[in-house]
Amino acid sequence: MTDPYAGDAERAHRLSRRVGRFMERWRASIRRRPWLNTTYKVIITALGVVIVIVGLILVPLPGPGWLIVFIGLTVLGTEYHWARRLLGWLRRVLARFWERWNLWRAARRERKEQRSRDGRGSPHGRGSRSPG
């Protein structure tokens, strides 16, 4: 059985190189005109800040709040080094959190299986209680 997604990473890498080269040429042409460069930077800043604010508003609500914040930081990161550094730090923190979360869930699952093998406790892990 072959993996249908085996070549996806290579295709994505080739596409990103082409897009990257196009963006470098486009950005260089904007930098040659100071007024256009300033306008571009203002637009990118405003767009990135709006996206981050919308994402932060959506964080407590159901939906992709943090994803939108990351997208806004990515937009800001195209022009600002501090945004790229912040985004890198957030990615590392998120990776550590995700690793700890998965370890906690695996330990929890193991404890639950151990209790069920020992014949103790209810399926909800609270022990068996009889009313009265």
Side-chain angles (χ1 to χ4, degrees):
M1 184 159 147
T2 62
D3 183 11
Y5 304 109
D8 284 355
E10 179 57 34
R11 281 191 295 269
H13 185 65
R14 283 195 312 265
L15 177 65
S16 70
R17 279 194 312 237
R18 275 188 252 143
V19 169
R21 282 193 305 265
F22 169 76
M23 292 302 290
E24 285 175 16
R25 287 192 309 264
W26 184 62
R27 192 66 183 100
S29 68
I30 289 175
R31 281 194 191 105
R32 285 192 292 263
R33 297 167 187 86
W35 66 271
L36 189 57
N37 189 37
T38 303
T39 304
Y40 176 79
K41 208 163 192 169
V42 167
I43 290 171
I44 290 297
T45 302
L47 181 65
V49 167
V50 166
I51 292 172
V52 168
I53 289 172
V54 168
L56 288 173
I57 290 170
L58 292 176
V59 164
L61 302 174
W66 283 113
L67 177 64
I68 294 172
V69 170
F70 280 119
I71 291 170
L73 284 173
T74 303
V75 169
L76 287 171
T78 62
E79 289 301 311
Y80 299 104
H81 184 66
W82 62 265
R84 282 191 297 270
R85 283 192 353 238
L86 179 61
L87 188 59
W89 178 78
L90 284 173
R91 285 179 179 162
R92 286 189 303 275
V93 168
L94 183 62
R96 279 193 306 244
F97 169 78
W98 195 248
E99 183 179 336
R100 288 178 185 160
W101 174 261
N102 285 331
L103 288 172
W104 176 79
R105 288 195 55 185
R108 183 174 165 229
R109 190 177 317 114
E110 180 62 33
R111 285 191 306 268
K112 189 182 258 187
E113 289 172 0
Q114 182 65 34
R115 278 195 302 265
S116 68
R117 280 193 300 255
D118 293 346
R120 304 182 336 218
S122 70
H124 299 293
R126 293 187 183 104
S128 60
R129 288 186 174 169
S130 59

